[in-house]
Amino acid sequence: MASSLLTDHTKMSLLNRRFLVVSLIVLLIIAVLGVGEAEASSYGVYKVKVVNEFPHDPEAYTQGLLYAENDTLFESTGLYGRSSVRKVALLNGKVEALHEMQSSVFGEGLTLLGERLFQLTWLQDTGFIYDRYNFSKFKKFIHHMQDGWGLATDGEVLFGSDGTSTLYKIDPKTMKVIRKQIVESQGHEVRYLNELEYVKDEVWANVYETDCIARISPKDGTVIGWILLQSLREDLISRGYKDFEVLNGIAWDRDGDRIFVTGKLWPKIFEIKLLPLPPNAPLIGEINNLCIPRPFYLGKVES
């Protein structure tokens, strides 16, 4: 009798252990699925609504754009013989201060950290640091990216792009690269990262030769959303504008929580509001075609 009770007790112990193991496995599966659902729900695709529009110099080949304060923008323009750094009044588009660069230099991305403007140059490993109040006061720096395309800051470090799929994290004191991350969108590498802006703990990047902005997590380089701006180009064309080029230029007014975008040789700067698309929207299935260009030989292509 004692032996029988012992056997029954052993069987119950085994059953309890099996139940416990199965329960743990089920809980683990639920947890993993839950993380997957959370990640999926955090991935968003947005169209835009134009809230306001402002005049923009149609001769400005915009390479970098940022909002300072009091409706003031700073802008970097490109092209040999036409590159510049400028202070611009948002409301009327007036250029209030201008530094024309040497004709041998092609201006690129721009960001403001403290009282200093950092600007990259194309096809060179050099850039310039300006006094934001006096553009004649500047000095050169050397960066360690493959090329100079875009710059942004979170107020402490710089983020840089060089036309590849790499997002660089840079020490603004030494200009040395702290970290490099490959930017991917749902398993697809996103190349040709161009002008950058830091917006609400995300790095936003124009993708060269597209009408898309990638919203990138600075923690791991994952694209957590896309902003589709094809409607802006269509609007300009419908109004008879022809001689303008690609979307390029993102500025965020932190205090007013306003987003501004423009492009190379665009006659307008648009203040936009994001409109989330429903998960079953047809455009979501076209993201790869719209926003992730296939590799091509850049050569001397201007960014």
Side-chain angles (χ1 to χ4, degrees):
M1 186 67 173
S3 176
S4 176
L5 288 172
L6 182 61
T7 302
D8 290 342
H9 178 74
T10 302
K11 288 179 179 179
M12 288 300 294
S13 297
L14 290 172
L15 287 172
N16 288 336
R17 288 178 183 177
R18 288 176 182 174
F19 177 77
L20 179 60
V21 170
V22 170
S23 298
L24 289 172
I25 292 173
V26 170
L27 288 173
L28 181 61
I29 292 172
I30 291 172
V32 170
L33 288 176
V35 169
E37 289 173 358
E39 289 177 348
S41 64
S42 66
Y43 180 88
V45 179
Y46 303 81
K47 294 184 74 173
V48 298
K49 175 183 178 181
V50 174
V51 178
N52 283 305
E53 64 176 57
F54 307 93
H56 180 244
D57 180 4
E59 298 297 317
Y61 197 80
T62 305
Q63 300 289 74
L65 187 72
L66 62 95
Y67 184 91
E69 68 280 312
N70 300 324
D71 288 333
T72 297
L73 301 169
F74 286 103
E75 184 175 17
S76 171
T77 68
L79 297 176
Y80 292 113
R82 291 170 53 185
S83 292
S84 69
V85 175
R86 49 182 68 184
K87 178 183 177 182
V88 181
L90 171 66
L91 299 182
N92 58 21
K94 180 182 178 182
V95 177
E96 297 182 334
L98 176 69
H99 170 74
E100 295 181 338
M101 304 173 73
Q102 293 182 354
S103 59
S104 60
V105 177
F106 194 115
E108 277 286 352
L110 184 76
T111 196
L112 175 66
L113 180 57
E115 306 302 313
R116 300 185 299 168
L117 288 162
F118 292 76
Q119 182 197 34
L120 297 172
T121 60
W122 185 52
L123 296 180
Q124 300 181 31
D125 61 357
T126 58
F128 299 94
I129 301 174
Y130 302 86
D131 181 326
R132 63 170 290 182
Y133 300 107
N134 185 350
F135 294 162
S136 65
K137 295 182 179 180
F138 65 91
K139 60 181 180 180
K140 276 188 176 182
F141 66 82
I142 295 176
H143 63 78
H144 300 276
M145 299 185 289
Q146 291 187 29
D147 196 2
W149 283 43
L151 273 183
T153 182
D154 63 358
E156 295 183 1
V157 301
L158 303 180
F159 295 93
S161 66
D162 60 4
T164 68
S165 58
T166 302
L167 181 66
Y168 295 82
K169 191 174 182 180
I170 302 167
D171 183 339
K173 295 180 180 178
T174 64
M175 298 309 294
K176 291 184 178 180
V177 175
I178 303 170
R179 187 178 181 184
K180 294 191 289 187
Q181 298 163 322
I182 299 300
V183 174
E184 292 188 341
S185 176
Q186 297 188 330
H188 299 276
E189 194 170 327
V190 182
R191 300 173 176 85
Y192 315 122
L193 301 176
N194 202 1
E195 212 268 336
L196 305 177
E197 181 65 87
Y198 191 83
V199 182
K200 296 181 181 179
D201 299 324
E202 301 172 2
V203 177
W204 289 18
N206 285 123
V207 179
Y208 183 63
E209 290 287 2
T210 78
D211 293 312
C212 302
I213 292 174
R215 297 175 60 172
I216 304 166
S217 168
K219 295 179 180 179
D220 58 11
T222 299
V223 173
I224 55 180
W226 288 100
I227 304 170
L228 308 181
L229 297 111
Q230 289 80 357
S231 60
L232 301 185
R233 175 183 295 277
E234 294 166 0
D235 176 59
L236 291 175
I237 292 172
S238 71
R239 288 193 267 175
Y241 295 111
K242 296 179 181 179
D243 299 324
F244 63 94
E245 296 193 18
V246 298
L247 177 79
N248 202 48
I250 312 166
W252 178 41
D253 170 11
R254 180 189 298 269
D255 294 333
D257 194 17
R258 297 182 294 171
I259 296 292
F260 305 97
V261 295
T262 191
K264 304 175 188 294
L265 310 179
W266 281 33
K268 301 290 182 182
I269 290 176
F270 295 99
E271 180 187 345
I272 58 171
K273 179 180 179 181
L274 304 191
L275 303 175
L277 292 178
N280 59 348
L283 277 176
I284 293 180
E286 294 296 315
I287 286 297
N288 290 349
N289 293 329
L290 292 171
C291 302
I292 306 180
R294 294 182 180 180
F296 59 86
Y297 175 64
L298 282 172
K300 294 291 183 179
V301 173
E302 299 159 349
S303 66

